Amino acid sequence: MKRILIVAVCLLVAVSAWAQGKVVVYTAHEESIINALVPMFEKDTGIKVEYVKLGSGDVIKRAKAEAARPQADVIWSIGGEQLEAESAILAPYTPKEWDKINPVYKVGTNWLPYTGIMNVFIVNTKMLSPDKYPKTWLDLQDARFKKLISSARADKSGSSYMQLCNVLAIYGDKGWDIYKNIMKNMVISASSGAVPKFVNDGEQAVGITLEDNAFRYFAGGGPVAIVYPEDGTVAAPDGIALLKGAPNLENAKKFIDWCLSKPVQEYLVEAMARRPVRLDCKDPKGLIPISKIKTIPYDFGWAARNKDAFVKKYVDIAMDLGL
């Protein structure tokens, strides 16, 4: 009896120790997705998740400030160019089933692809007929869209910075004049997530946003349509990364492996309408195949190296325009 009791106590201690493991995560993920995935991970692994939700720029600022003595283990779901710009504070890691990740998304230095994202226009179908939809980035300069384009700030939002870079990647130096003309037609929103809502609610006719954000309103029956710019759109991953000096290293690796696993990627397809980064997962139902969209290469290194200069120029233009 005593021996059985001792064994039982030892097992209880072992299980308790396992359950007390944790991983600390900094994330810009949507709260609804965090609230769904965190309990799933904890149930699957017994590892406790402590997370801090911030805007993507603030995630990087905090991680950089703590680089000498890291307080977190993983950066979860922020723009790839921000991770690329700060790759020195990240640690390289090759996750399990790396061979299942689509090579087109393997573009980062010390960070990993998490979901596939794409720039699109969302249009209000009650405010615009199909023949009046903007078909290209150039069309957004048209005076008929004055104060009818919703966008977040490129100096605050990772997705909006990518949209600026999208125009510059296509049109080079001329892209600045084009983007300035687009900005003349913009109404700036407080966040990138608000952009498609404003269009759905009829406050603006057009929004520059991410595909998944637009698709949720479209799939929900809103009076909106999705337009893929005919002159080209960036198709790139947002990222997940292991922080250099992560205090809970093994748990951090388990968290990353779990996020890139097939069940989680399939969940993200269903819940967020994000394109998966895995080869063995299907795209969200209702989205056109990526092969039918004019996509352009996105050089994360270029976007990262030039971010300070591009953001400064953007802010100068915004101040000139009173945005």
Side-chain angles (χ1 to χ4, degrees):
M1 183 67 180
K2 185 181 291 186
R3 182 177 179 183
I4 294 173
L5 182 60
I6 291 171
V7 170
V9 170
C10 289
L11 286 173
L12 183 62
V13 170
V15 170
S16 177
W18 177 71
Q20 286 174 2
K22 70 176 183 179
V23 60
V24 181
V25 177
Y26 291 168
T27 182
H29 233 322
E30 294 178 25
E31 197 73 48
S32 62
I33 300 300
I34 296 171
N35 291 339
L37 288 182
V38 164
M40 289 167 57
F41 174 76
E42 291 179 340
K43 181 179 178 181
D44 286 350
T45 66
I47 299 168
K48 176 72 175 175
V49 178
E50 295 180 5
Y51 71 87
V52 177
K53 176 173 166 46
L54 299 165
S56 55
D58 290 330
V59 166
I60 288 294
K61 287 179 183 176
R62 181 159 177 169
K64 282 184 68 178
E66 298 171 348
R69 191 166 177 260
Q71 302 299 300
D73 305 299
V74 175
I75 293 178
W76 180 27
S77 187
I78 73 169
E81 57 277 294
Q82 292 173 298
L83 291 169
E84 188 69 26
E86 305 299 338
S87 62
I89 68 170
L90 309 176
Y93 175 58
T94 302
K96 291 181 179 178
E97 301 187 312
W98 185 236
D99 60 315
K100 299 293 194 301
I101 303 299
N102 191 327
V104 73
Y105 293 127
K106 295 180 178 181
V107 294
T109 303
N110 294 348
W111 60 274
L112 304 164
Y114 175 56
T115 59
I117 57 178
M118 192 178 302
N119 295 323
V120 301
F121 308 150
I122 182 172
V123 299
N124 185 294
T125 56
K126 292 182 178 180
M127 299 176 72
L128 296 175
S129 58
D131 61 309
K132 300 297 183 183
Y133 292 173
K135 300 296 196 302
T136 66
W137 295 98
L138 297 177
D139 290 346
L140 296 180
Q141 303 175 97
D142 199 304
R144 65 194 173 92
F145 293 124
K146 185 74 172 178
K147 299 303 178 185
L148 290 178
I149 297 175
S150 180
S151 175
R153 292 184 62 96
D155 58 332
K156 302 292 185 183
S157 163
S159 58
S160 292
Y161 178 69
M162 188 172 76
Q163 291 150 17
L164 166 62
C165 288
N166 198 141
V167 174
L168 298 178
I170 297 171
Y171 294 106
D173 289 340
K174 293 180 181 178
W176 281 108
D177 290 333
I178 294 167
Y179 201 78
K180 181 176 182 178
N181 290 333
I182 298 172
M183 288 174 68
K184 291 176 181 178
N185 291 335
M186 286 181 182
V187 176
I188 299 296
S189 72
S191 69
S192 56
V195 168
K197 184 179 188 304
F198 287 141
V199 176
N200 184 78
D201 294 349
E203 296 187 42
Q204 272 86 48
V206 180
I208 309 174
T209 188
L210 295 180
E211 180 185 47
D212 57 291
N213 289 339
F215 185 72
R216 263 170 274 168
Y217 288 92
F218 173 78
V224 297
I226 299 173
V227 176
Y228 296 87
E230 293 177 358
D231 44 353
T233 186
V234 164
D238 72 339
I240 187 168
L242 179 67
L243 280 161
K244 188 180 292 184
N248 302 288
L249 180 60
E250 293 308 312
N251 286 347
K253 292 178 179 178
K254 290 175 183 177
F255 182 80
I256 292 172
D257 289 343
W258 186 85
C259 287
L260 298 181
S261 68
K262 186 175 181 181
V264 175
Q265 288 286 303
E266 288 177 336
Y267 174 84
L268 292 167
V269 168
E270 182 67 26
M272 294 187 72
R274 286 271 177 101
R275 295 184 189 258
V277 296
R278 290 181 65 104
L279 294 165
D280 54 357
C281 293
K282 295 180 180 179
D283 285 338
K285 292 180 181 178
L287 289 180
I288 66 175
I290 197 168
S291 59
K292 295 185 178 181
I293 301 167
K294 183 176 180 180
T295 60
I296 62 170
Y298 189 50
D299 185 340
F300 278 98
W302 164 78
R305 288 191 303 273
N306 290 285
K307 186 170 185 181
D308 289 346
F310 287 174
V311 165
K312 183 180 183 305
K313 192 163 186 175
Y314 169 87
V315 170
D316 288 344
I317 293 171
M319 290 180 66
D320 287 344
L321 297 177
L323 295 176

